[in-house]
């Protein structure tokens, strides 16, 4: 039982590191995109390979662009949950 607990803890830690790395990659892609003010955008990677986009962007076009960047960066193994709102500016 103790060995199983250690294995589970190690697996959870590995998932957390993978999640943090993916969050950083997606956020970096958004920050480096032209014409997007990323200062109001939050990116979180959750269990089950879900990436959640939160915050505010200027309009629907930017909302779609940010989601597209996240999908392209994360790849097909991740689900993007776009909770961005529009009309910040």
């Amino acid at each position: 039982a103790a060995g199983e607990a250690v294995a589970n803890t190690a697996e959870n830690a590995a998932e957390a590191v993978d999640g943090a790395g993916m969050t950083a990659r997606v956020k970096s892609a958004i920050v480096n995109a032209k014409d997007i003010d990323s200062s109001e955008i939050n990116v979180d990677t959750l269990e089950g390979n879900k990436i959640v986009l939160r915050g505010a962007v200027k309009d629907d076009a930017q909302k779609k662009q940010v989601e597209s960047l996240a999908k392209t960066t994360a790849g097909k193994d991740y689900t993007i949950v776009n909770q961005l709102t529009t009309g910040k500016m």
Side-chain angles (χ1 to χ4, degrees):
E4 187 175 311
V6 169
N8 287 342
T9 300
E11 186 176 309
N12 290 343
E15 287 176 10
V17 169
D18 288 346
M22 182 55 68
T23 297
R25 286 195 295 270
V26 171
K27 183 67 175 177
S28 178
I30 295 167
V31 166
N32 290 321
K34 293 193 315 184
D35 303 325
I36 295 178
D37 177 4
S38 63
S39 65
E40 299 291 324
I41 299 173
N42 294 310
V43 178
D44 293 305
T45 304
L46 307 178
E47 277 186 50
N49 289 351
K50 286 186 182 174
I51 296 174
V52 181
L53 305 172
R54 295 184 182 100
V57 292
K58 184 170 68 172
D59 54 29
D60 284 332
Q62 281 194 356
K63 182 176 178 177
K64 290 175 185 169
Q65 185 179 3
V66 170
E67 182 175 344
S68 179
L69 280 168
K71 284 181 181 177
T72 301
T73 303
K76 62 181 173 71
D77 292 336
Y78 285 82
T79 301
I80 308 302
V81 179
N82 190 341
Q83 297 179 348
L84 293 170
T85 59
T86 58
K88 167 179 90 97
M89 300 179 172

